[in-house]
Short mmCIF file of all heavy atoms in Angstrom, two decimals:
data_model
loop_
_atom_site.label_atom_id
_atom_site.label_comp_id
_atom_site.label_asym_id
_atom_site.label_seq_id
_atom_site.Cartn_x
_atom_site.Cartn_y
_atom_site.Cartn_z
N ARG B 151 120.67 -181.07 -62.06
CA ARG B 151 121.41 -182.03 -62.89
C ARG B 151 121.76 -181.44 -64.26
O ARG B 151 122.57 -181.99 -64.99
CB ARG B 151 120.58 -183.31 -63.09
CG ARG B 151 120.49 -184.16 -61.83
CD ARG B 151 119.80 -185.50 -62.10
NE ARG B 151 118.42 -185.31 -62.55
CZ ARG B 151 117.39 -185.15 -61.69
NH1 ARG B 151 117.59 -185.19 -60.40
NH2 ARG B 151 116.16 -184.98 -62.15
N ASP B 168 113.48 -167.95 -57.34
CA ASP B 168 112.04 -167.85 -57.12
C ASP B 168 111.44 -166.70 -57.92
O ASP B 168 111.98 -165.58 -57.93
CB ASP B 168 111.74 -167.60 -55.63
CG ASP B 168 112.23 -168.76 -54.76
OD1 ASP B 168 112.60 -169.81 -55.34
OD2 ASP B 168 112.27 -168.59 -53.53
N PRO B 225 129.23 -141.32 -73.89
CA PRO B 225 128.94 -140.90 -75.26
C PRO B 225 130.07 -141.24 -76.24
O PRO B 225 131.22 -141.44 -75.83
CB PRO B 225 128.78 -139.38 -75.14
CG PRO B 225 129.40 -139.00 -73.84
CD PRO B 225 129.35 -140.20 -72.95
N THR B 413 144.91 -175.59 -48.93
CA THR B 413 144.69 -176.47 -47.77
C THR B 413 143.86 -177.68 -48.21
O THR B 413 143.32 -177.70 -49.32
CB THR B 413 143.90 -175.75 -46.65
OG1 THR B 413 142.56 -175.53 -47.10
CG2 THR B 413 144.53 -174.43 -46.26
#
Side-chain angles (χ1 to χ4, degrees):
Chain B
R151 288 187 298 275
D168 298 349
T413 69

